[in-house]
Amino acid sequence: MIRVLVADDQALLRGSFRLLIDSEDDLVVVGEAADGHQAVALARTESPDVVLMDVRMPEMDGIAATKEIASDTRVLILTTFDLDEYVYAALRAGASGFLLKDAPPDDLLRAIRVVASGETLIAPSVTTRLIAEFVRRPPAQRVFHGLDNLTDREREVLTLIAHGLSNAELGSQLQLSPGTVKTHIGRLLAKLRARDRAQLVIAAYEAGLVKPG
């Protein structure tokens, strides 16, 4: 059972999310938060697998709340087209996924499952503008190190990750076993001090392995 905490300042949306999530056999809502402070407190007491986090909330916004809990709990950020700057900040804060608020219900349920499984999910419509925002930042604001220490194979794997390939697709394209793919990804995470695949994508753009658009 995947335990979900819903954080949104609109009671109607929280209720809608709860009804949708609780309708699934493998998902359950373990709490609702109306602001960032409540989200942080409930994340610590209820130990959810995923926090469904709105960005704009009173008292403490979703970015600050994500920064408080992302080291222990996976966070799926809900965003809109006009909040790309918040998406970038959420990535830096440690969010594991980003989904548009107008996404179909099935996409939301899938996103929760993907993030809970340890993968990273970024809505395709968000990705280009997210990356463009990142590469405009001065180098001093970028946080990844170790790019010069990657092997040719690791750079190849990193490039394909940035293009959105799954582990299975990586193995098929590079003719590698599933275990070898996981080993390469583990080494990339360690060398780049990245938390998850989302940060590996950013590292690939920083290294110039792929470019926006």
Side-chain angles (χ1 to χ4, degrees):
M1 185 69 72
I2 298 172
R3 297 164 55 82
V4 182
L5 170 63
V6 178
D8 195 295
D9 63 335
Q10 297 184 45
L12 183 59
L13 277 178
R14 292 199 308 273
S16 298
F17 288 143
R18 176 183 280 274
L19 285 173
L20 175 65
I21 293 167
D22 283 346
S23 70
E24 299 295 301
D25 292 339
D26 61 331
L27 305 175
V28 62
V29 173
V30 296
E32 297 181 23
D35 60 50
H37 287 302
Q38 291 181 16
V40 171
L42 285 171
R44 289 172 176 166
T45 60
E46 300 299 329
S47 300
D49 299 300
V50 177
V51 178
L52 191 60
M53 184 81 76
D54 187 22
V55 173
R56 288 181 170 175
M57 293 187 293
E59 303 299 330
M60 175 189 282
D61 65 27
I63 306 304
T66 296
K67 189 173 183 179
E68 289 285 328
I69 65 175
S71 61
D72 301 310
T73 306
R74 302 188 68 80
V75 177
L76 175 60
I77 293 285
L78 291 177
T79 185
T80 57
F81 279 115
D82 63 339
L83 292 178
D84 290 320
E85 71 276 16
Y86 290 105
V87 177
Y88 175 79
L91 179 63
R92 294 291 296 272
S96 297
F98 308 90
L99 194 69
L100 296 176
K101 273 196 168 183
D102 61 357
D106 286 346
D107 286 0
L108 174 61
L109 296 172
R110 185 179 74 86
I112 292 171
R113 294 182 176 107
V114 168
V115 169
S117 72
E119 297 290 332
T120 296
L121 183 142
I122 305 178
S125 48
V126 173
T127 304
T128 300
R129 290 161 76 181
L130 168 65
I131 298 303
E133 168 66 18
F134 178 83
V135 298
R136 283 197 298 268
R137 299 286 172 128
Q141 295 185 26
R142 302 180 183 177
V143 297
F144 296 100
H145 308 281
L147 291 166
D148 294 336
N149 297 325
L150 301 183
T151 66
D152 290 341
R153 176 62 89 183
E154 287 166 349
R155 285 176 175 268
E156 190 174 14
V157 171
L158 183 60
T159 300
L160 294 177
I161 288 174
H163 282 296
L165 272 67
S166 66
N167 283 15
E169 291 167 335
L170 280 168
S172 176
Q173 182 154 332
L174 299 178
Q175 297 185 330
L176 300 174
S177 69
T180 301
V181 170
K182 289 182 179 180
T183 297
H184 282 306
I185 293 174
R187 287 174 179 168
L188 284 169
L189 291 170
K191 287 184 176 182
L192 300 178
R193 303 177 195 173
R195 181 176 181 273
D196 52 28
R197 291 173 80 105
Q199 292 194 339
L200 289 180
V201 172
I202 294 299
Y205 279 89
E206 178 181 341
L209 300 178
V210 285
K211 299 184 183 302

